[in-house]
């Protein structure tokens, strides 16, 4: 049978061994029907071994299978084999799967049965909901009761804290409970490791990053609360003890604002928050000293089970004997059931054997207890275990462990080599040392991603950092760490606009804690501010990518201030810093004067350096800034300067983007024909980069922004149906970009306004709900006022005057932020609503302010409608000269509409004037005027304005001549 003819239900091969089922085609390993989370490369290695069960598979073959067409060090294979053994639970009685053939490779030694699977439901873990839980580095032992207790407590208490000393297994238990609940929460389970975080101000940003939220505001907490308000979600905040007060306040805020949210915390002490339920984690149970046990009886105690399993992973073929039971039981008692201490001891069975190991531990603990009477017993035990384990390392391994402690979070082998290598310890020794430290449980390896990530437990890191300080190397290593990340992010900066977003994110996105840690040292008394400035410059794309605008502002401002006493930055650094500050300020705080100052300084430096790339970037920002404050002539002037530089030094995309920039200014000043011509040319020729839009350079996706503006122009020119389709196209394109600002642009500047223009109230409500939700989710606080303007407009257009307070409040906010974009249009709607409500004095003040704004800013696109609204208000006042004054306003509106070829405004003005003339008995003239305008439309006959005009025409024709 040909492959194409095979039925979809054809069975797939599966391998059965022990309690496990391996389905290679579905890339899944099951234990008792439950998926075992294991990295893709470890799974590939397991598949290769199982397919050749009983046969030797060489190290080279396994590396080629797991890393095709890629050179990697053999240490990577060692790490994945260790992870695989832990996932399979090697060390338990009868559990032996992977045997090492020294110097050659590995052999799968368990009995394997080949079967067939017809279970499509297992494919790709389809049942698992969204989460970011790291793959378990070890199998959970002896904590089933603790996990069950958490599973019982969480439904009853929205906030549970797992408390215990370092090394007790708080994170392991919490992760196991969270993983058990993956199918419970509609919006997923999310893990945030707070151990690397030193600044409590970054706590909300850490959660936002974990949830993949792009929050553009100074304080992300309100936006987070708004996003979480209707979510059913579990959040796991790990290692809170160094941020207890900040974590307590933060948890109270998010729980108070999000009724469907539950929070699980791990900490060495409770957070002491109202509603907190504390679960104290006890040590693993071990056998009492008075009992004489068999092997089977001893293995019933979790502490012994953990020791045996880890010892078996360290020493192949290790099995607990009856003779060894009392010794192992004594070791577990001595280590007081602390899992990390037991693991550290068990990894040295390969070097000393059980009896010698016990003797060495006994000597060490007696010495430590004499010297550390002031420490709590369990803390003495943990320190003793770390001291003992540390001193048993080779000298080069001690050096490597100490040096790795400067990493705040996860790191790669490449970073480990860059920071820990020296003349005496070269890269291969570092690679081998990291693998050995993983085997000895002093370094954890996360093999679940595309590249292995390593980290130290917070307890181990604190210990090793103290040892590093005692060695006299601390300052040198902190400098090397900062220099490495400066160089790494210089590379990231160069790749920002050319590499695929997902790939760039995978390489650099998780390193934010390293950047924060490095910057903290560079600006300290013993640091080097020049490194801090260079790192700040290089890390700008990272803050932009993670939408940490306020953090970006703070770090950039610190870098700019650092040169007050000495020269620590050059002109290129200063240019980039001011450009970043302008962009970050605009989206974090709005178009305030300091935004203009920052960009102006950046432009002056870019021109001095003849750096055309940054001239374009800054000219773009200055033009957009002018659009936002309503200075459209200045915006056009900067756009023309942009065009000059683009024609001389830019690429094709720059030159076409200039059309979009100039069209925006032309549209608002009233040149709809010129604006449309430029937008259509730009859209017909613009080719976005294959993996990135020009969001990185110009803040918005260019095609989305162009379609948004074009939809307005099409409506103004009398093409309502085309305008609706163009707005929908902009919205679909924005969704495809997955970019917060671009989606806001499509909703706030195209889809919602066009729905309001054509009178699609149902569609407008739906789109407005999407917009408001988007603003809340992404913390786009600068644009909240514009969302409220649209909400108030919808209500007023439907005759609901509760929209007036919304419009008033939003207009006040816009004025305070100096946000002039479409200000006159929203003010005109406000005046119209006030008139309909009979509040004529306020209405007159509002329309006069709108007309004055239009004159001063030269925002003429809406002037025809403002004049018409003014005529309507005059008629409502009913003065003796009202009819004449209203007619003058309508005629001026017609003139401005015709001058701009804005047929839709012309129709509204003609409808109002026809109604006035009809009341005065000038029905024939009214019919001729309105019919001539109506007759120039070729579409949109079911929109509100055309239906209204048609009704007036029909009424006019009913009147006898």
């Amino acid at each position: 049978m040909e492959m194409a003819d095979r039925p979809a239900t054809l069975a797939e091969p599966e391998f059965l061994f022990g309690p496990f089922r391996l389905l290679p085609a579905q890339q899944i390993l099951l234990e008792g029907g439950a998926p075992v989370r294991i990295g893709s490369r470890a799974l590939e290695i397991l598949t290769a071994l199982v397919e050749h069960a009983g046969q030797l598979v060489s190290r080279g073959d396994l590396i080629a299978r797991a890393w095709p067409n890629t050179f990697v060090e053999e240490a990577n294979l060692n790490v994945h084999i260790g992870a695989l053994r832990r996932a399979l639970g090697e060390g338990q009685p009868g559990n032996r799967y992977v045997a090492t053939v020294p110097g050659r490779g590995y052999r799968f030694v368990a009995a394997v049965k080949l079967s067939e699977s017809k279970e499509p439901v297992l494919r790709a873990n389809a049942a698992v909901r969204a989460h970011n839980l790291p793959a378990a580095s070890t199998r959970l032992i002896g904590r089933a009761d603790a996990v069950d207790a958490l599973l019982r407590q969480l439904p009853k208490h929205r906030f549970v804290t797992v408390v215990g000393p370092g090394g007790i297994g708080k994170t392991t238990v919490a992760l196991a409970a969270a993983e058990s609940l993956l199918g419970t929460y509609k919006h997923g389970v999310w893990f945030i490791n707070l151990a690397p975080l030193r600044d409590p101000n970054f706590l909300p940003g850490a959660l936002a990053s974990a949830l993949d939220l792009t929050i553009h505001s100074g304080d992300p907490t309100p936006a987070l609360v708004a996003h979480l308000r209707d979510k059913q979600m579990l959040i796991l905040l790990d290692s809170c003890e160094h941020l207890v007060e900040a974590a307590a306040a933060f948890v109270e805020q998010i729980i108070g604002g999000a009724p469907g949210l539950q929070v699980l915390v791990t900490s060495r002490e409770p957070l002491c928050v109202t509603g907190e339920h504390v679960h104290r984690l006890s040590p693993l149970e071990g056998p009492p000293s008075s009992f004489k046990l068999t092997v089977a009886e001893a293995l019933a105690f979790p502490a012994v089970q953990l020791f045996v399993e880890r010892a078996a992973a360290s020493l192949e073929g290790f099995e607990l004997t009856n003779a060894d039971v009392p010794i192992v039981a004594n070791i577990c008692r001595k280590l007081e059931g602390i899992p990390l201490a037991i693991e550290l001891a068990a990894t040295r069975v390969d070097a000393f054997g059980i009896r010698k190991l016990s003797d060495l531990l006994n000597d060490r603990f007696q010495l430590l207890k004499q010297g550390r009477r002031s420490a709590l017993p369990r803390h003495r035990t943990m320190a003793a275990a770390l001291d003992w384990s540390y001193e048993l390392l080779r000298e080069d391994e001690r050096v490597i462990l100490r040096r790795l402690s400067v990493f705040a979070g996860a790191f790669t082998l490449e970073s480990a080599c860059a920071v820990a290598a020296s003349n005496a310890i070269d890269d291969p020794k570092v690679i081998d040392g990291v693998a050995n430290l993983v085997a000895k449980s002093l370094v954890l390896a996360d093999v679940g991603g595309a590249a292995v990530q390593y980290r130290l437990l917070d307890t181990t890191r604190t210990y090793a950092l103290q040892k590093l300080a005692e060695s006299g190397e601390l300052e040198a290593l902190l400098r090397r760490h900062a220099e490495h990340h400066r160089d790494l992010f210089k590379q990231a900066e160069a790749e920002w606009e050319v590499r695929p977003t997902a790939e760039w994110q995978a390489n650099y996105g998780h390193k934010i804690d390293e950047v924060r840690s490095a910057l903290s040292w560079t600006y300290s008394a013993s640091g080097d501010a020049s490194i801090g400035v260079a790192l700040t410059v290089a890390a700008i794309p990272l803050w932009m990518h993670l939408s940490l605008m306020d953090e970006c502002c703070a770090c950039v401002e610190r870098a700019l201030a650092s040169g007050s006493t000495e020269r620590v930055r050059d002109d290129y650094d200063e240019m980039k810093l001011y450009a970043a500050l302008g962009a970050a300020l605009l989206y974090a705080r709005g178009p305030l004067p300091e935004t203009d100052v920052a960009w102006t300084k950046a432009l002056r430096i870019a021109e001095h350096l003849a750096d055309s790339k940054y001239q374009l970037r800054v000219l773009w920002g200055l033009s957009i800034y002018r659009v936002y404050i309503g200075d459209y002539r200045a915006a056009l002037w900067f756009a023309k300067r942009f065009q000059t530089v683009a024609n001389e030094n830019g690429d094709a995309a720059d030159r076409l983007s200039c059309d979009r920039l100039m069209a925006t200014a032309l549209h608002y000043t009233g040149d709809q024909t010129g604006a449309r011509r430029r937008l259509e040319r730009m859209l017909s020729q613009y080719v976005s980069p294959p993996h990135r839009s020009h969001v990185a350079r110009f803040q918005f996706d260019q095609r989305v922004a162009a379609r948004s503006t074009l939809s307005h122009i099409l409506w103004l020119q009398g093409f309502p149906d085309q305008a609706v389709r163009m707005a929908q196209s902009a919205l679909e394109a924005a969704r495809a970009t997955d970019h917060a600002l671009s989606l806001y642009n499509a909703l706030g500047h195209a889809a919602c306004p066009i729905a309001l223009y054509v009178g699609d109230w149902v569609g407008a409500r739906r789109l407005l709900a999407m917009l408001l939700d988007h603003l809340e989710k992404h913390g786009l606080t600068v644009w909240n006022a514009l969302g409220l303007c649209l909400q108030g407009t919808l209500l007023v257009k439907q005759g609901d005057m509760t929209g007036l307070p919304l419009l008033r409040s939003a207009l006040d906010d816009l004025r305070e932020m100096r946000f002039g974009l479409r200000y006159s249009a929203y003010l005109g709607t406000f005046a119209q609503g006030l008139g309909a409500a009979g509040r004529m004095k306020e209405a007159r003040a509002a329309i006069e302010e709108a007309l004055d704004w239009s004159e001063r800013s030269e925002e003429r696109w809406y002037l025809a409608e403002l004049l018409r609204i003014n005529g309507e208000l005059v008629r409502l006042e009913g003065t003796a000269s009202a009819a004449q004054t209203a007619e003058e306003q309508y005629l001026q509106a017609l003139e401005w509409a015709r001058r701009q070829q804005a047929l839709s405004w012309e129709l509204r003005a003609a409808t109002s004037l026809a109604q006035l003339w009809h009341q005065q008995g000038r029905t024939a003239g009214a019919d001729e005027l309105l019919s001539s305008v109506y007759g120039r439309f070729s579409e949109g006959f079911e929109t509100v304005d055309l239906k209204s005009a048609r009704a007036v025409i029909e009424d006019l024709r009913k009147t006898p001549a």
Side-chain angles (χ1 to χ4, degrees):
M1 181 183 292
E2 295 294 328
M3 184 69 72
D5 297 327
R6 292 172 66 183
T9 57
L10 188 66
E12 296 176 347
E14 68 174 18
F15 299 94
L16 309 178
F17 51 92
F20 298 100
R21 296 169 59 201
L22 173 64
L23 293 87
Q26 299 185 39
Q27 283 288 287
I28 189 170
L29 175 68
L30 300 170
E31 181 179 11
V36 177
R37 290 207 299 123
I38 182 173
S40 59
R41 288 201 167 97
L43 192 63
E44 198 63 48
I45 292 167
L46 175 61
T47 303
L49 292 169
V50 169
E51 287 175 347
H52 300 86
Q55 303 174 32
L56 171 68
V57 184
S58 73
R59 297 176 68 86
D61 286 345
L62 289 174
I63 288 174
R65 177 76 174 258
W67 292 273
N69 305 315
T70 305
F71 172 78
V72 297
E73 300 284 349
E74 286 196 359
N76 285 283
L77 179 61
N78 297 342
V79 169
H80 283 80
I81 288 289
L84 182 57
R85 282 174 164 153
R86 288 190 291 271
L88 296 175
E90 287 207 0
Q92 300 178 69
N95 279 15
R96 189 160 180 261
Y97 298 100
V98 181
T100 302
V101 181
R104 298 176 65 192
Y106 300 90
R107 180 180 286 117
F108 197 83
V109 294
V112 176
K113 178 182 177 182
L114 179 62
S115 182
E116 292 182 338
S117 172
K118 296 182 180 179
E119 299 184 39
V121 295
L122 297 173
R123 194 172 298 277
N125 289 332
V128 178
R129 293 188 183 276
H131 69 88
N132 69 336
L133 300 182
S137 58
T138 59
R139 195 177 70 86
L140 191 66
I141 294 175
R143 294 301 195 190
D145 289 345
V147 172
D148 288 344
L150 290 179
L151 297 181
R152 290 193 303 271
Q153 292 160 7
L154 279 167
K156 300 176 184 176
H157 309 280
R158 294 183 54 212
F159 173 28
V160 177
T161 301
V162 181
V163 173
I168 200 72
K170 300 183 294 294
T171 301
T172 303
V173 169
L175 281 171
E179 187 157 358
S180 298
L181 294 167
L182 283 177
T184 304
Y185 297 91
K186 181 178 179 181
H187 299 102
V189 177
W190 303 95
F191 171 80
I192 301 92
N193 177 20
L194 298 180
L197 211 62
R198 290 295 172 261
D199 189 334
N201 294 319
F202 296 151
L203 199 160
L207 175 56
S209 296
L211 297 176
D212 197 26
L213 297 180
T214 50
I215 294 181
H216 302 266
S217 63
D219 180 8
T221 303
L224 274 172
V225 172
H227 171 68
L228 297 170
R229 185 171 296 131
D230 60 349
K231 300 294 186 293
Q232 297 175 22
M233 183 185 294
L234 175 66
I235 291 174
L236 169 49
L237 297 177
D238 186 45
S239 301
C240 290
E241 52 272 356
H242 60 303
L243 301 170
V244 168
E245 291 185 7
F250 181 64
V251 169
E252 279 192 312
Q253 283 181 285
I254 60 175
I255 284 184
L261 184 72
Q262 289 185 289
V263 178
L264 181 59
V265 165
T266 71
S267 176
R268 296 186 189 180
E269 60 178 291
L271 270 60
C272 298
V273 172
T274 302
E276 177 184 28
H277 179 83
V278 176
H279 179 93
R280 295 192 177 274
L281 195 59
S282 302
L284 292 178
E285 185 183 2
S289 57
S290 58
F291 278 69
K292 186 175 181 179
L293 305 172
T294 64
V295 169
E297 290 169 338
L299 286 172
F301 291 94
V304 174
Q305 189 180 349
L306 175 64
F307 181 93
V308 171
E309 184 167 311
R310 298 300 184 261
S314 175
L315 176 62
E316 187 164 350
F318 173 83
E319 288 187 9
L320 184 64
T321 65
N322 285 325
D324 289 336
V325 165
I327 303 171
V328 171
N330 187 47
I331 289 173
C332 292
R333 284 194 297 271
K334 197 176 301 180
L335 296 174
E336 296 181 321
I338 298 177
L340 179 57
I342 292 171
E343 288 198 39
L344 292 173
T347 59
R348 302 322 308 254
V349 169
D350 61 338
F352 302 108
I354 291 293
R355 294 181 184 277
K356 183 63 174 176
L357 178 66
S358 180
D359 292 341
L360 289 170
L361 274 173
N362 190 57
D363 293 342
R364 165 57 58 187
F365 274 64
Q366 289 301 321
L367 178 63
L368 287 169
K369 285 180 180 178
Q370 291 173 15
R372 297 186 180 174
R373 297 271 180 207
S374 60
L376 293 172
R378 283 183 189 153
H379 290 177
R380 288 204 304 267
T381 301
M382 193 65 246
L386 285 166
D387 264 332
W388 175 81
S389 188
Y390 175 79
E391 292 193 9
L392 291 177
L393 296 174
R394 298 195 315 256
E395 179 55 30
D396 60 331
E397 291 175 344
R398 292 183 206 167
V399 173
I400 292 167
L401 179 64
R402 291 197 303 259
R403 292 176 177 178
L404 294 178
S405 68
V406 298
F407 287 101
F411 55 90
T412 61
L413 270 181
E414 290 77 13
S415 289
C417 290
V419 173
S422 61
N423 292 334
I425 302 176
D426 58 13
D427 286 4
K429 281 188 177 179
V430 172
I431 292 169
D432 185 58
V434 169
N436 291 340
L437 292 169
V438 170
K440 294 166 185 174
S441 296
L442 288 164
V443 172
L444 299 182
D446 181 359
V447 299
V452 182
Q453 299 286 329
Y454 302 88
R455 67 181 177 90
L456 277 66
L457 283 175
D458 194 39
T459 307
T460 309
R461 179 177 182 268
T462 301
Y463 174 89
L465 202 58
Q466 180 181 343
K467 289 293 183 183
L468 184 63
E470 293 170 0
S471 74
E473 281 194 319
L474 178 60
E475 290 300 321
L477 265 293
L478 289 171
R479 172 179 291 274
R480 195 181 300 173
H481 174 270
E483 289 174 337
H484 167 64
H485 286 92
R486 173 200 62 195
D487 297 340
L488 185 68
F489 276 94
K490 282 184 177 179
Q491 176 182 326
E493 181 189 19
E495 296 173 355
W496 169 237
E497 289 187 34
V498 297
R499 285 185 70 180
T501 301
E503 189 178 295
W504 193 94
Q505 159 83 5
N507 275 21
Y508 303 111
H510 64 279
K511 295 184 181 293
I512 184 66
D513 290 317
E514 303 305 324
V515 171
R516 290 164 175 164
S517 176
L519 287 176
S520 178
W521 173 79
T522 61
Y523 292 110
S524 68
S526 58
D528 186 336
S530 65
I531 300 174
V533 169
L535 176 56
T536 300
V537 170
I540 287 167
L542 179 67
W543 287 308
M544 295 292 179
H545 179 81
L546 298 177
S547 297
L548 298 172
M549 296 300 183
D550 200 56
E551 183 177 339
C552 183
C553 286
C555 292
V556 166
E557 287 169 340
R558 180 174 57 183
L560 287 167
S562 67
S564 56
T565 57
E566 57 179 318
R567 186 74 173 171
V568 298
R569 61 181 187 271
D570 60 21
D571 288 341
Y572 282 96
D573 290 337
E574 196 147 328
M575 172 186 69
K576 293 177 180 179
L577 289 168
Y578 277 119
L581 184 60
L585 283 170
L586 181 62
Y587 297 114
R589 304 172 195 173
L592 301 173
E594 50 264 40
T595 307
D596 188 31
V597 170
W599 260 324
T600 301
K601 289 181 178 179
L603 179 60
R604 186 162 53 244
I605 301 170
E607 289 175 338
H608 171 71
L609 297 173
D611 188 315
S612 58
K613 177 182 175 182
Y614 264 83
Q615 286 180 51
L616 289 171
R617 184 171 297 196
V618 175
L619 285 167
W620 182 275
L622 284 165
S623 183
I624 293 298
Y625 171 81
R626 292 305 190 284
V627 168
Y628 284 170
I629 65 173
D631 189 353
Y632 302 106
R633 288 295 172 188
L636 188 59
W637 185 78
F638 279 113
K640 289 176 179 177
R641 288 184 64 184
F642 180 99
Q643 183 179 44
T644 300
V645 178
N647 287 340
E648 293 175 357
N649 300 297
D651 57 24
D654 291 329
R655 290 188 288 275
L656 289 169
S657 293
C658 181
D659 272 337
R660 206 282 286 179
L661 193 62
M662 296 184 74
T664 301
L666 291 172
H667 161 59
Y668 286 114
T669 55
D671 184 0
Q672 309 308 331
T673 302
R676 178 176 175 180
R677 182 175 63 252
R678 288 179 178 275
L679 289 173
E680 289 179 338
R681 179 172 64 192
M682 178 260 183
L683 287 169
S684 67
Q685 299 178 29
Y686 186 85
V687 178
S688 185
H691 300 295
R692 278 187 178 275
S693 67
H694 276 95
V695 166
R697 195 185 309 175
F698 299 135
Q699 288 88 51
F700 292 100
D701 181 273
Q702 294 304 289
R703 289 172 300 185
V704 170
R707 288 169 180 160
S708 295
T709 305
L710 185 54
S711 67
H712 272 268
I713 295 170
L714 287 168
W715 183 84
L716 287 170
Q717 292 188 329
F719 302 103
D721 294 343
Q722 291 182 53
V724 170
R725 290 195 295 270
M726 185 60 67
Q728 182 62 31
S729 173
L731 184 55
E732 290 170 0
R735 284 172 171 158
T737 67
D738 193 28
H739 181 246
L741 291 176
S742 295
L743 185 54
Y744 160 74
N745 188 291
L747 283 167
H749 293 314
C752 286
I754 295 301
L756 292 171
Y757 290 157
V758 301
D760 178 9
W761 311 133
V762 174
R765 279 194 296 273
R766 176 178 55 82
L767 292 164
L768 185 59
M770 290 172 56
L771 173 62
L772 296 175
D773 179 69
H774 185 69
L775 290 170
E776 285 188 348
K777 176 180 178 181
H778 294 282
L780 294 163
T781 52
V782 174
W783 287 277
N784 278 346
L786 296 179
L788 292 177
C789 281
L790 290 167
Q791 189 177 18
T793 298
L794 174 60
L795 291 170
V796 168
K797 293 289 186 184
Q798 293 180 290
D800 184 348
M801 294 306 128
T802 60
L804 291 175
L806 284 177
L807 276 169
R808 177 72 279 167
S809 174
L811 286 165
D812 290 343
D813 289 344
L814 290 177
R815 189 162 48 248
E816 185 178 346
M817 289 188 297
R818 300 178 72 242
F819 213 103
L821 182 64
R822 299 185 184 175
Y823 180 76
S824 63
Y826 296 124
L827 196 54
T829 301
F830 181 57
Q832 195 172 22
L834 289 169
R839 296 158 62 179
M840 296 308 303
K841 184 177 179 180
E842 295 172 80
R844 294 300 309 161
I847 196 64
E848 286 170 8
E849 182 188 351
L851 287 164
D852 180 63
W853 170 261
S854 178
E855 179 64 26
R856 286 187 291 106
S857 67
E858 298 186 68
E859 184 180 0
R860 302 286 168 75
W861 74 282
Y862 198 74
L863 180 56
E865 178 66 354
L866 287 177
L867 291 165
R868 187 194 71 82
I869 293 170
N870 193 29
E872 298 285 281
L873 294 175
V874 169
R875 288 176 65 189
L876 284 172
E877 286 182 317
T879 62
S881 60
Q884 181 181 348
T885 304
E887 181 174 1
E888 290 171 356
Q889 293 297 298
Y890 296 150
L891 288 170
Q892 287 186 50
L894 282 170
E895 181 184 350
W896 275 103
R898 288 165 180 164
R899 186 185 303 179
Q900 296 180 17
Q901 296 184 345
L903 185 58
S904 289
W905 291 150
E906 188 178 352
L907 180 68
R908 287 192 183 182
T911 302
S912 293
L913 184 56
Q915 290 173 318
L916 175 63
W917 283 353
H918 181 44
Q919 288 177 356
Q920 296 174 334
R922 300 156 66 183
T923 301
D927 189 359
E928 181 182 357
L929 169 67
L930 186 53
S931 297
S932 66
V933 177
Y934 183 88
R936 285 154 54 200
F937 279 87
S938 59
E939 62 179 61
F941 296 106
E942 294 307 310
T943 61
V944 65
D945 288 337
L946 284 157
K947 287 167 70 175
S948 176
R950 187 166 62 244
V952 171
I953 291 171
E954 290 172 356
D955 187 50
L956 292 172
R957 292 177 180 176
K958 291 177 183 176
T959 303

